[in-house]
Every structure is written in structure tokens, then in C-alpha cells.
Amino acid sequence: MAVGTATRRGAGVVAGVLRLVGMLIVLVLVVFIALTALDANFGNVWAAAVREAANYFDLGLSNLFQPANHKIAVAMSYGTAALIWWLITAVVVRLVRRIG
């Protein structure tokens, strides 16, 4: 019994860490969309760091949509990436909890 309890507890911890990491990635993408919509100065070190992180996690979808308005293009493309990351996170966390 103790092994099963420890395994479940460990799987719960792993699932929690994976959920946190996944949601932080989604947050970075959403913050980048907001900064772009608000015409942030990407010369600023913090805004540039968010842009770089968003470009790293965009799943190659940064040019998925190309409407004439750049802000709409960023919102649609990076929003799609954020949605996919959210779905991946939900599925992986559920699998880890089920395995545990």
C-alpha cells in the first residue's frame, strides 16, 4: 500500500510541475499578444525577453495567419499556439495523473 500511495503522490507532484510549466508557456504567449496589441517598445529588455520566449514557444506558427493588420496576425498566430500549448498541457497532465 505504501508504494501505491508514494507513486500517486509522486505522479501528483510531477503533474503539478508539468501544469505549471505549460501554463507559464501559455502566459508568455498571451503576454506577448497583449504587448503587441498595446504597441509595446520591444527595445525594452523585458518586452524583448517576452518576445524572444514567445518566438521560442510558437510551435512554428508565428506566420500561420497573415492578415493585413500585424496586430491581428500576431493575435491569431500566437493565440493558436497558446491554445495548442494549453491542450498539450491538459492531455499530458491527465496522462501523468492516470499513470500514477
Side-chain angles (χ1 to χ4, degrees):
M1 276 304 211
V3 174
T5 304
T7 302
R8 265 179 280 160
R9 189 174 306 138
V13 170
V14 170
V17 169
L18 290 172
R19 180 181 302 276
L20 177 66
V21 170
M23 292 301 109
L24 286 175
I25 292 170
V26 171
L27 179 66
V28 165
L29 293 168
V30 170
V31 167
F32 175 65
I33 293 168
L35 290 175
T36 301
L38 297 171
D39 291 324
N41 174 13
F42 287 105
N44 177 289
V45 69
W46 295 107
V50 170
R51 180 180 59 197
E52 290 300 316
N55 287 334
Y56 184 77
F57 294 117
D58 71 355
L59 301 173
L61 300 175
S62 61
N63 293 320
L64 181 62
F65 300 102
Q66 296 183 347
N69 187 334
H70 175 68
K71 292 178 185 180
I72 293 174
V74 167
M76 292 173 67
S77 297
Y78 285 87
T80 302
L83 178 63
I84 292 170
W85 273 109
W86 180 76
L87 289 171
I88 290 170
T89 300
V91 169
V92 170
V93 167
R94 177 168 260 175
L95 286 174
V96 168
R97 287 189 192 273
R98 185 167 289 186
I99 290 170

